[in-house]
Amino acid sequence: MSSLRLATRILRPVPVRHFSTGGGGSTKSSNLPFYLGGVGLAGLATYLYLGGSPSPFSSSPTKTKPKQDKSALDPERFLDLKLKAIEPYNYNTARFVFELPNGGAALSPVTSLVVVRPSEGAEGAPVDKKGNLAVRPYTPISSPDQEGELVLLIKKYDKGVISKYVHERLQPGDTLAIKGPISKFAYQANEFDHVALIGGGSGITPLYQLLHHALNDSGNRTRYTLLYANVSEADILLRDELAALERAHPNTFRVVHTLDSPPAGWTGASGYVSRELIKAHVPPAKEGNKIKVLICGPPGQINAVAGQKDGMKQGAVGGILKELGYTEDQVFKF
């Protein structure tokens, strides 16, 4: 996305409260500690699709497109994918478009990630403390059935080993080793009445992947609310895409933006995702198994809102969500 498009976006008011059990606006406090680390996030699935149908005016039927029953990626080994294009998004983020082998599709389950590392022998490739090529997880923003391309939205962090490498070293024609897809949250359509998604910075990617899939399902009945925190307005990722989903699905999707450093005239929330903000926009814990809260963001945000993860395990619910009575069954941390 060009800087011109970013500068001309229309600010939208924060939605009114629907689930508040008490008064109070959002608390002003710094989001900055939440954005010092990068995040990223999602297994292997079968997605069948057919192309074309016979024309009633044709003497011969249109050939049926062969179905793809296997991902173009491999969850067990890294494949070197050629970088097709770099599309600048804002001052520190870009879309990196990679070519998938043989024009295939990733066929990723909802909320699945890929793991990336430099290709063997790549110049300037970063390594970990053991001398192995550094790896990081990312959640694609391209559709699972998008043919021939895999798109990663990567934000450059000052201390981001892979993000700096990708931004500073890769050029179209170069390759990056990618393995996946790897499933994260086990999404099921209409499993819950309401799903609240809490995101920070580049942690928006798995949440967007789920929203894009669920809301574009004509059979969806679940309501979704996204609380999305960033340092500044320029840091908001996928803003246009989220706004488009909100316009298309006004009865089932609502976005609440909150900024650490809001500009003059900002009508959204300010500060981090607070107790007051959650109470105002998320159904209460007493709703039980009718609701689910998903959170993805830098470790500081996850710790403060939902409690620290236990390595690869979820860990106990802590932070604000524990204070508000939410249980392990109601919360998922990416």
Side-chain angles (χ1 to χ4, degrees), residues 213-224:
H213 177 88
L215 293 171
N216 286 312
D217 178 357
S218 60
N220 175 64
R221 300 185 302 275
T222 300
R223 293 181 62 191
Y224 291 88

Side-chain angles (χ1 to χ4, degrees), residues 128-165:
D128 59 23
K129 294 180 180 179
K130 296 182 180 180
N132 300 316
L133 289 169
V135 300
R136 290 293 186 275
Y138 288 97
T139 302
I141 61 170
S142 46
S143 297
D145 57 349
Q146 182 170 334
E147 297 178 348
E149 292 183 348
L150 181 78
V151 184
L152 301 179
L153 183 67
I154 300 180
K155 183 174 182 177
K156 181 181 177 181
Y157 290 91
D158 291 338
K159 296 182 179 180
V161 175
I162 290 295
S163 69
K164 288 185 69 176
Y165 169 78

Side-chain angles (χ1 to χ4, degrees), residues 222-241:
T222 300
R223 293 181 62 191
Y224 291 88
T225 299
L226 171 64
L227 308 182
Y228 186 23
N230 282 282
V231 175
S232 70
E233 190 174 12
D235 291 301
I236 300 174
L237 302 179
L238 298 172
R239 187 176 185 178
D240 287 350
E241 290 83 351

Side-chain angles (χ1 to χ4, degrees), residues 243-297:
L245 286 175
E246 190 174 33
R247 289 192 300 271
H249 308 280
N251 297 322
T252 51
F253 181 46
R254 175 164 293 172
V255 184
V256 180
H257 291 287
T258 184
L259 299 179
D260 178 68
S261 303
W266 174 255
T267 55
S270 60
Y272 55 73
V273 175
S274 64
R275 178 189 179 100
E276 290 78 15
L277 201 65
I278 292 174
K279 288 179 66 177
H281 299 286
V282 178
K286 67 181 181 181
E287 296 293 325
N289 61 9
K290 295 180 180 180
I291 64 167
K292 192 76 173 184
V293 181
L294 310 178
I295 180 168
C296 185

Side-chain angles (χ1 to χ4, degrees), residues 3-333:
S3 57
L4 178 59
R5 290 179 63 193
L6 181 66
T8 56
R9 290 173 178 146
I10 299 174
L11 300 181
R12 293 175 287 111
V14 64
V16 296
R17 298 180 177 184
H18 288 272
F19 306 104
S20 178
T21 56
S26 56
T27 303
K28 285 191 176 182
S29 185
S30 175
N31 279 318
L32 187 56
F34 295 159
Y35 305 101
L36 295 181
V39 294
L41 289 206
L44 193 59
T46 302
Y47 185 94
L48 305 180
Y49 57 91
L50 298 177
S53 58
S55 168
F57 305 106
S58 175
S59 58
S60 60
T62 302
K63 290 184 178 180
T64 300
K65 183 176 181 178
K67 64 183 180 181
Q68 181 184 345
D69 58 2
K70 183 179 180 182
S71 173
L73 297 172
D74 191 328
E76 301 299 329
R77 65 188 182 95
F78 285 96
L79 302 178
D80 285 334
L81 301 188
K82 182 183 293 185
L83 179 60
K84 180 179 179 180
I86 301 174
E87 302 169 355
Y89 186 92
N90 64 9
Y91 70 100
N92 64 359
T93 305
R95 288 185 175 92
F96 292 83
V97 183
F98 293 91
E99 295 182 5
L100 287 171
N102 302 315
L107 301 186
S108 308
V110 181
T111 70
S112 57
L113 58 80
V114 296
V115 179
V116 312
R117 66 161 173 77
S119 297
E120 294 285 351
E123 183 178 353
V127 296
D128 59 23
K129 294 180 180 179
K130 296 182 180 180
N132 300 316
L133 289 169
V135 300
R136 290 293 186 275
Y138 288 97
T139 302
I141 61 170
S142 46
S143 297
D145 57 349
Q146 182 170 334
E147 297 178 348
E149 292 183 348
L150 181 78
V151 184
L152 301 179
L153 183 67
I154 300 180
K155 183 174 182 177
K156 181 181 177 181
Y157 290 91
D158 291 338
K159 296 182 179 180
V161 175
I162 290 295
S163 69
K164 288 185 69 176
Y165 169 78
V166 171
H167 274 266
E168 296 177 0
R169 291 281 185 171
L170 289 191
Q171 297 294 328
D174 293 338
T175 63
L176 189 69
I178 298 180
K179 178 172 70 173
I182 300 169
S183 182
K184 295 292 289 183
F185 174 71
Y187 166 81
Q188 295 183 41
N190 301 316
E191 183 178 6
F192 308 102
D193 289 351
H194 198 124
V195 174
L197 307 105
I198 301 174
S202 56
I204 190 61
T205 52
L207 308 182
Y208 172 74
Q209 191 185 79
L210 187 151
L211 287 167
H212 183 270
H213 177 88
L215 293 171
N216 286 312
D217 178 357
S218 60
N220 175 64
R221 300 185 302 275
T222 300
R223 293 181 62 191
Y224 291 88
T225 299
L226 171 64
L227 308 182
Y228 186 23
N230 282 282
V231 175
S232 70
E233 190 174 12
D235 291 301
I236 300 174
L237 302 179
L238 298 172
R239 187 176 185 178
D240 287 350
E241 290 83 351
L242 293 170
L245 286 175
E246 190 174 33
R247 289 192 300 271
H249 308 280
N251 297 322
T252 51
F253 181 46
R254 175 164 293 172
V255 184
V256 180
H257 291 287
T258 184
L259 299 179
D260 178 68
S261 303
W266 174 255
T267 55
S270 60
Y272 55 73
V273 175
S274 64
R275 178 189 179 100
E276 290 78 15
L277 201 65
I278 292 174
K279 288 179 66 177
H281 299 286
V282 178
K286 67 181 181 181
E287 296 293 325
N289 61 9
K290 295 180 180 180
I291 64 167
K292 192 76 173 184
V293 181
L294 310 178
I295 180 168
C296 185
Q301 184 188 44
I302 292 179
N303 296 348
V305 174
Q308 186 174 359
K309 289 189 68 174
D310 181 13
M312 299 298 291
K313 299 178 181 180
Q314 286 290 296
V317 172
I320 296 171
L321 293 179
K322 181 179 180 180
E323 294 172 5
L324 293 175
Y326 295 91
T327 67
E328 277 78 5
D329 290 338
Q330 294 174 307
V331 178
F332 182 87
K333 312 166 195 175

